[in-house]
Amino acid sequence: MKTIKQRDSEVIWHPYTPMKIMPEAIAIIKGEGAYLYDEAGNKYIDAVASWWVNLHGHSHPYIAKKVSEQLLKLEHCMFAGFTHEPAVLLAERLLEILPLGMKRVFYSDNGSTAVEVALKMALQYWSNKGIEKKKIIALENAYHGDTFGAMAVSGRGVFTDAFKDLLFDVDFIPFPSQKNKEKSIACLEELLKKGKSACFIVEPLVQGSAGMQMYDADVLDAYFKLCKKYDTIIIADEVMTGFGRTGKLFACNYIDTAPDIICLSKGITGGALPFGVTVTTQDIFNAFYDNDRTKMLYHGHSYTANPTICAAALASLDLLLTEECTDNRIRITNAHTGFKHAILNHKSVTEVRQTGTILAIELKTDTPVYHSNLRDVAYNFFLQKQIILRPLGNIIYVLPPYCISNEDLAYIYSCILEFLDNMP
Ligand SMILES: *Cc1c(COP(=O)(O)O)cnc(C)c1O
């Protein structure tokens, strides 16, 4: 009999995978807590929370119970002209914990669609008001998703090369590294001054796909204050940073100035089901609130506000807001900090970064990252240690489910240290 892995290689096309070079996928047959189990009987620690989505562990019984109860009550119905309690309750509960000023919740299917909706809201806001503001500002090397609008506001590179002529123009400002902080802020002001920018979109505090690049909250605050000053909509893409990743519930909680639109996805269902949420202010909502039908937001998805998924999000919120989960995030943050200090001066390391439960280690390498096989060597090294760590180029990062044990964290750190010690 063929294994799942073999059957896969005949019919499946995997995401972000050079299918000829990497034909083999590991077939996972079970998940529990921070662990995934494959068909060959191996057990792995999911140290990257399955692409940053998992919060409370795999196949969590509480989320599973709530989802199955909802499935038997109302699995789905269309969301124009109809509504249901899971969607309403989730909106009410999200607005309670999101930064002040957020008043309206729009549902979609994933992080990219949450971003598309945000961009369309921002552009149509000005169009509805009859004000000529069409430019968009973003950060260099940003990642906001893989659909066309999301690609356009993302940093240009190998991900977008094949489509570059079709992506709309975006003004990119430099990443605010310690060295470039002032320049980045000045650059933003320069663009805002022209008065043509509809919105500024940003991953607050941590640029995920760029390699867990981190910057200070005071920079974020300066960005937001400038956007307010020049009347430009702020879109905070919290798809990765939301739901406790950075220590606080949302990265925007680190500053006092609130954005106008927040995009959520990934952790929102605890990693159980795909979901996208775009939340905004009364002011933005009001620009669409009109007797003229042409002013409405022309956007929707077949599965908008799917009640089953809302139930998963509500269950995940229940877990997220427990004292136990808060304590877990503090515990992981402290463990990361301890390990960070232990390897700061290691010969194989150029930089160690941390924001809350996210720890990133930049490996020293002489060859340009795209041409080096360091990433694959590291990936395979950790797989053999039964740890799933998926480096971004020469950056190893640990972004675990909040339920991960101290023992597993210690084991991950010791394997990282072993890898660092043995780097050429
Ligand atoms: C992952 C990610 C997205 C895209 O989300 P998908 O669900 O993969 O479409 C958008 N923005 C940020 C910051 C992300 O990390």
Side-chain angles (χ1 to χ4, degrees), residues 365 367-380 391 393 419 424:
T365 163
T367 27
V369 178
Y370 284 110
H371 303 294
S372 108
N373 67 347
L374 183 60
R375 184 229 165 255
D376 296 343
V377 171
Y379 178 70
N380 290 324
F419 183 79

Side-chain angles (χ1 to χ4, degrees), residues 52 110-113 115 143-145 203 209 237 239-240 265-266:
W52 326 341
N110 56 65
S112 304
T113 57
V115 168
Y143 178 76
H144 296 292
E203 293 160 89
S209 293
D237 179 353
V239 167
M240 191 278 284
S265 182
K266 293 208 164 97

Side-chain angles (χ1 to χ4, degrees), residues 104-123:
R104 290 282 169 171
V105 176
F106 191 99
Y107 293 112
S108 66
D109 302 338
N110 56 65
S112 304
T113 57
V115 168
E116 297 287 344
V117 171
L119 294 173
K120 285 172 78 169
M121 277 179 182
L123 292 167

Side-chain angles (χ1 to χ4, degrees), residues 249-368:
L249 275 187
F250 300 97
C252 286
N253 293 142
Y254 280 90
I255 60 171
D256 292 329
T257 324
D260 302 291
I261 302 178
I262 300 179
C263 305
L264 303 168
S265 182
K266 293 208 164 97
I268 189 167
T269 60
L273 289 162
F275 206 25
V277 175
T278 309
V279 194
T280 192
T281 58
Q282 194 63 36
D283 175 47
I284 295 207
F285 177 77
N286 285 347
F288 296 76
Y289 191 77
D290 204 288
N291 290 325
D292 179 355
R293 281 165 176 265
T294 64
K295 297 243 165 118
M296 73 176 183
L297 179 66
Y298 284 96
H299 196 99
H301 295 279
S302 315
Y303 282 98
T304 296
N306 176 271
T308 311
I309 300 182
C310 289
L314 284 164
S316 178
L317 263 190
D318 287 344
L319 298 171
L320 182 76
L321 299 176
T322 58
E323 202 174 323
E324 187 188 349
C325 188
T326 311
D327 290 347
N328 278 338
R329 297 200 302 276
I330 295 169
R331 178 176 59 82
I332 295 167
T333 301
N334 291 339
H336 278 354
T337 306
F339 184 56
K340 175 174 122 179
H341 288 298
I343 55 167
L344 267 182
N345 299 315
H346 196 284
K347 64 169 172 52
S348 306
V349 168
T350 24
E351 193 180 51
V352 191
R353 301 185 278 272
Q354 185 196 0
T355 304
T357 69
I358 310 167
L359 178 74
I361 303 156
E362 196 161 323
L363 306 177
K364 213 173 261 174
T365 163
D366 297 330
T367 27

Side-chain angles (χ1 to χ4, degrees), residues 152 160 195 233 245 311 321 338 370 372 388:
T160 55
I233 294 171
R245 268 297 155 213
L321 299 176
Y370 284 110
S372 108
I388 302 175

Side-chain angles (χ1 to χ4, degrees), residues 64-84:
K65 176 169 163 281
K66 292 291 185 179
V67 164
S68 72
E69 283 170 6
Q70 185 59 46
L71 270 174
L72 291 168
K73 208 187 286 171
L74 171 68
E75 92 300 4
H76 182 65
C77 73
M78 70 172 135
F79 205 59
F82 298 89
T83 190
H84 43 75

